Amino acid sequence: MSLVEREHLLDQLDAIFTAGAEGNGHVVHVGGPGASGKTALVRAFGERVSGGGALLLTATCSRAERGVSGGVLAQFAAGLPAETTERLGRLLDAERLGCGPEHQAGQDVLGRTASDQVAPGQATHGQGIQGQTARRQPHAIREACEVLFEVARTRPVVLVADDVEYADACTLQALLYLQRRLSGTRIMLVLTESDHSRHVNALFRAELTRVPWFTPVRVAPLSPRGVARILAEELDQRTATALAPAYHAMTGGNPLLVKALVQDHRTAVLTEEDHPDGVTTGEAFGQAVLACLHRWEPGMLDVVRAVAVLGENATPELLGRLLGRKTTSVVEVLTALNHTGLLDDGRFRHPAVRAAVLGDVGADGLAASHQRAASLLYAEGLPSADIAAHLAAAGAATAPWAVGVLRDAADTALAEHRPERAVEFLKLARATCAEDDAAGRAALAAALATVQWRTTPSVVSRHLPELRDASERGLLGVRETRALLRYQLWFGRTTEARDTLRRLEEAAAESPHSPTATEHRALRDWVRWLHPAVAAAVPSGTGDRRPALARDHQEDLVAAAERLLRNCWAPDSAPEAAAYALFTLAVCGEVGRAKHWCDTLRADVGTGAATWKAVLADVRAHLALLEGDLVTAERQARLALTALSSHNWGPAIASPLAALVLATSAAGKHDEAEAQLKRSIPVAAQNTWHWAVYLRARGQAHLAAGRPHAALADFEACGEVAVHWDLDLPALLPWRSDLAQAYLRLNRIDRAGELVLAQLERPTADVPRVRGVSLRVLSSSIELKQRLPMLREAAALFQGCGDQVELSVALALLSSTHHALGEFGAAKVVAKRALRMAEGCQAEALCRQFLPRGLVLDEADGEEEAGAEVESGGTAHEPDDLATLSTAERRVAALAALGHTNREISRKLYITVSTVEQHLTRVYRKLKVRRRTDLPTGLPMGALDMWAAEAPSVTGPQAAPGHTSGHTPVQRTARDPRQGARSPSGGGVRR
């Protein structure tokens, strides 16, 4: 690598040499941070002067050879002629120079004792040349220097001593003797020394500066521009421009480290490694870092290792306490390390530097360092997370305070969405906790299970025996016992879950007014819904086994669900409880609010909560199905199955599989649905509500694939499960309308009608979507002339609740009814609208099953009253805002969208045909559409209330679209839509 940003220093050395060649000897001291390029500079200078006829004598000092007397002078002698070398060799005899072993044990020629030679920042200031002993023989050094003076009379001599801070004592004495006599000679003495060693040989440096022919030269780190120049020379200009800022930030301009990064970059290019940020740190960089540290004083290596261990807590005070050194000494070393580019303000510039430092320490030594660091931080009162990190790095904790610190640190890690770190702390705490502390070990096991549940539920199964035993012994609190119940339910351990639920019921009965009573009631409700096989075997405190939907007011249900959702997100909370609350909102007709809460929770869980993500994705898939959004339903169901593996899902996997089967079968992807049905489901799933949902989904897949007998069996099994568990609520599971569709396929129309009528008598049957499905299916079992009002009400209900798939099917049936009645124009208009709706939600294949056979659709069909429609001249477009329409225009547009002719609209709204045409003209112009089939799908259906009463079959409190009664569901009554007869909700059907 060239001498980038060192050219002016080389020129300065050349100028000094030129002046010295005329008889003006000189001493040059080249200083700068460690590894800043001092050696490269003097080598380049040596090549210049040796090429110009001067005698170049070089020596490299080493800390390992500091005890070798006259070692550096011997290196100088190696460059002299043979006879001169022999003569100088005799003069360098250790005994003649007075630097034998007996002298080295005492003081050296600079007055330093063995105890004085300490690490940077610890050198004493009592060193002095006057401490020489009488045994020294200066005339021997004088004779050795005279040899050099004789050579210099014939040609210029340049002596270069690299890293002079590591020179032996005799060499330092000779250099001082020489530098005092350079005046009038042609000798140039060049010495390099790093800044971090200024306390080593401090008086030697002071002696150097006393003569007027002394010149200091300082080598500074590279600037960002200098780094870019080096990269341009070694790589290419484009790469240099891209990488120079990052390289300078990582190295602080240290040339050695820059060169190492270049080598790693070339290696990465050759091996085709992918590094998104373009910066590659590999073996060369790590070796360069260690090379720097091991070349310098041991005290610097100790400090930098302590910085690596303490990390962000590496303040000078704590470093001093950890190393047993004075703070001022540590500050000096940190300053030197900052100048070298390894540190920046006492912190590593790049994680790779810290990794290299820690990797150079033995495992035992590193563990001991982390143990000392943990004790130090605990004594200083630092955060538990910092202390626990050192205990975890050490792999052991023996102090009595360790368990509490690790537990606190685990809570902090969990709050920061770092469950893996929390697990690590809790495992170490369990290993540290005393064997005789049963309560403490049980609490740690419960805490560990809570954290692991968020990411890998299957791992929690290994804790269940210990937690069950602790619960039976009364060592777990109510919250931990509830968590145990969730785990047992999740893994299908029905018998154990019953025992745990029984203990919770007993505890709740003893404290009916405790703050946790509300939480227990919520727990009982979602267990009653999702795990009825467990709840049925355990008597509740109230004795009421009915689900909340069957006994509570809808307003109370919605309020309770939202109250639970507002307080459900916590590290130890249950995603199953959140799912229960979200489904409660959905079956109460509040799908939009359920979606809002679901998205809010998904945003709050953050990272590292795989179980929460999977459960919420499953819920989101089922909510999308209620809106007929098959694309979202399929995507979210697949996300749920990806977020958690099959063994982590356990029996609950039946729920996302059911959502995926429903979405794919409705979209006509029968092969995909079949593939999902082949996946195994644990037998324990048959004791959960998810099994009923799965049976219904499998039945729908059979029905969509043309297997009505197989569908019939699944729907009947689904109904048996719902009835057996006393969860026979259409809002939860409309199995009767599903079964009725299978009977219709088998042409058993009477049986289909009976099932739908029975469903309409059940509590929660007036939920808009449930009633809409019931009316849609029931319409196929009644006379042709009675179907239109029923299907129109069903379409209005689906439009109000936002179910696009059911709306497209209802419109398709409406088109078939128009076609059967001979109203071909209306049939085509409604059919086009049904297909447009189905294409938007990917249910086209399902929709076509219900369209009239032989119906041919083209763009010209259904354009009744063309004159009114062509006047708009707009293009097909669905606006985002329908507020521009008046109330009358909305009524006309809503009826036209359902396929009514202008004459039919005039009769229903009691206006003239001309008025209808005028309203339609304005609607088309405002909405920028050209025909009825282009009317947007979001038209409000509230205007249909006024004509819905024309059909006696749909009167009653539950007939209004979107209406939900506040009365208790079991008190509702239902009318027979075919005959208008009223029957009690719990009684039979009057035929």
Side-chain angles (χ1 to χ4, degrees), residues 361-680:
V361 184
D364 294 340
L366 189 59
S369 297
H370 280 296
Q371 288 282 11
R372 292 196 303 272
S375 299
L376 175 61
L377 298 186
Y378 180 78
E380 292 292 324
L382 269 68
S384 298
D386 296 347
I387 304 171
H390 289 289
L391 294 175
T398 57
W401 45 261
V403 173
V405 167
L406 289 167
R407 182 67 186 270
D408 291 343
D411 293 340
T412 302
L414 199 59
E416 296 174 351
H417 304 295
R418 300 171 62 194
E420 296 83 4
R421 195 65 166 159
V423 168
E424 183 180 13
F425 293 154
L426 290 172
K427 284 183 176 179
L428 184 57
R430 286 194 70 198
T432 306
C433 188
E435 291 291 339
D436 56 353
D437 186 4
R441 295 184 66 84
L444 288 171
L448 181 59
T450 297
V451 180
Q452 291 176 324
W453 183 258
R454 301 181 64 190
T455 54
T456 51
S458 60
V459 179
V460 178
S461 61
R462 68 185 64 170
H463 302 302
L464 294 185
E466 180 181 358
L467 292 175
R468 181 186 61 186
D469 179 68
S471 177
E472 293 174 350
R473 296 169 58 188
L475 299 178
L476 294 183
V478 174
R479 187 176 297 275
E480 290 79 10
T481 305
R482 288 174 184 163
L484 172 61
L485 175 63
R486 299 203 321 267
Y487 309 150
Q488 293 168 334
L489 293 173
W490 185 275
F491 293 113
R493 301 194 178 190
T494 305
T495 304
E496 298 175 9
R498 288 170 179 167
D499 294 338
T500 304
L501 180 59
R502 188 174 292 106
R503 284 193 293 272
L504 286 172
E505 289 286 358
E506 293 171 356
E510 294 176 358
S511 305
H513 304 294
S514 66
T516 61
T518 302
E519 298 178 12
H520 180 73
R521 284 193 294 271
L523 171 72
R524 184 191 302 142
D525 284 339
W526 72 259
V527 171
R528 180 72 185 88
W529 181 347
L530 300 179
H531 301 275
V534 174
V538 180
S540 65
T542 61
D544 193 346
R545 296 180 180 274
R546 293 176 302 160
L549 283 172
R551 67 173 188 268
D552 295 338
H553 294 281
Q554 177 177 308
E555 294 81 359
D556 296 336
L557 288 172
V558 172
E562 292 195 318
R563 183 166 55 250
L564 190 154
L565 291 170
R566 275 191 293 270
N567 299 282
C568 75
W569 172 239
D572 58 348
S573 58
E576 308 94 309
Y580 158 74
L582 293 170
F583 279 128
T584 299
L585 291 177
V587 298
C588 288
E590 300 290 348
V591 178
R593 293 165 79 172
K595 285 171 53 181
H596 166 74
W597 277 108
C598 187
D599 294 339
T600 301
L601 289 175
R602 295 172 74 181
D604 289 343
V605 296
T607 59
T611 306
W612 267 94
K613 288 182 178 180
V615 172
L616 291 177
D618 174 38
V619 174
R620 188 66 182 84
H622 285 283
L623 294 179
L625 288 173
L626 293 177
E627 292 186 320
D629 187 354
L630 302 182
V631 176
T632 299
E634 181 179 352
R635 183 177 66 252
Q636 293 298 326
R638 293 188 186 278
L639 176 61
L641 293 170
T642 303
L644 281 183
S645 58
S646 299
H647 67 280
N648 278 313
W649 265 109
I653 196 175
S655 182
L657 279 178
L660 186 54
V661 169
L662 286 170
T664 52
S665 59
K669 302 177 181 179
H670 303 304
D671 292 340
E672 177 62 26
E674 290 295 328
Q676 298 302 327
L677 289 174
K678 292 179 181 179
R679 298 181 62 167
S680 62

